[in-house]
Amino acid sequence: MTADSAPQTASFHIRPRTEADLDACVRVLATIHEQNAYPLNWPTDPATWLTPRSLLAVWVAEESVGQGIIGHIVLSRSEEDDASASLWNRGPTAVINRLYVDPAARGRGIGAALMTRAVAEAKSRALHPVLDVASTDTAAAALYERLGWTLLAEVEQEWDPGQRVNVRCYAAPTS
């Protein structure tokens, strides 16, 4: 565990992602896409997809130091097309996205630890964390609800031309 990480098991730590991590992040993302269909549409350039233009901060979960990336999360500025941000009417928001955990490493609190880190960063910037998740991603929705996130609404979005996706919009606890 490091000072930059949330309380968790000592078998992994959370740190800021570096440029050198991107290839490993894309490899883990490819595994998740194959096994869990996340992201729903495989990006043309996965490294760029993991680094959105609205990026505020990004972290990875790593086994032991230098032993491999097992998780990832991004904190971004809200944009006009962020459904959850448009539903939150109590102040400025930041969007948590690009969260994933290697299937082989799940069940160890990594997703919750990544969420804790991103939420803390958002709050340090006086921003309220929100997120959108495809309604079909029930495991992710279950994590957010276990962490006390509030379901704001379920909406339909157009992700690709002609592709309509039902999305669940969440806001972090206010306490």
Side-chain angles (χ1 to χ4, degrees):
M1 207 164 16
T2 67
D4 190 37
S5 63
Q8 57 203 358
T9 66
S11 63
F12 68 90
H13 70 280
I14 296 172
R15 62 171 174 77
R17 189 189 78 196
T18 67
E19 190 70 26
D21 296 324
L22 271 173
D23 287 344
C25 291
V26 168
R27 281 192 299 276
V28 174
L29 183 65
T31 299
I32 292 163
H33 178 70
E34 290 169 13
Q35 293 184 19
N36 305 115
Y38 177 82
L40 188 59
N41 300 317
W42 185 252
T44 304
D45 182 351
T48 298
W49 184 81
L50 289 172
T51 312
R53 70 178 188 275
S54 57
L55 179 78
L56 292 172
V58 58
W59 300 270
V60 293
E62 188 176 39
E63 273 295 350
S64 301
V65 176
Q67 295 300 307
I69 303 299
I70 54 175
H72 183 274
I73 195 165
V74 167
L75 183 68
S76 299
R77 288 182 305 281
S78 302
E79 295 185 335
E80 284 185 30
D81 61 344
D82 292 321
S84 56
S86 66
L87 291 166
W88 183 259
N89 58 7
R90 297 186 225 165
T93 60
V95 177
I96 292 177
N97 52 35
R98 311 312 194 248
L99 169 62
Y100 59 87
V101 174
D102 187 322
R106 291 183 183 157
R108 296 169 41 199
I110 297 164
L114 286 163
M115 290 288 291
T116 298
R117 182 65 190 97
V119 166
E121 179 67 22
K123 290 183 177 185
S124 78
R125 295 171 183 252
L127 301 170
H128 192 83
V130 296
L131 60 83
D132 302 339
V133 61
S135 295
T136 56
D137 195 344
T138 56
L143 169 66
Y144 308 140
E145 291 171 12
R146 271 194 316 272
L147 296 175
W149 285 58
T150 300
L151 177 63
L152 300 172
E154 189 166 325
V155 300
E156 187 178 77
Q157 289 183 324
E158 185 170 2
W159 281 12
D160 276 337
Q163 181 187 33
R164 307 296 293 178
V165 177
N166 287 330
V167 175
R168 295 173 64 89
C169 303
Y170 286 92
T174 54
S175 57

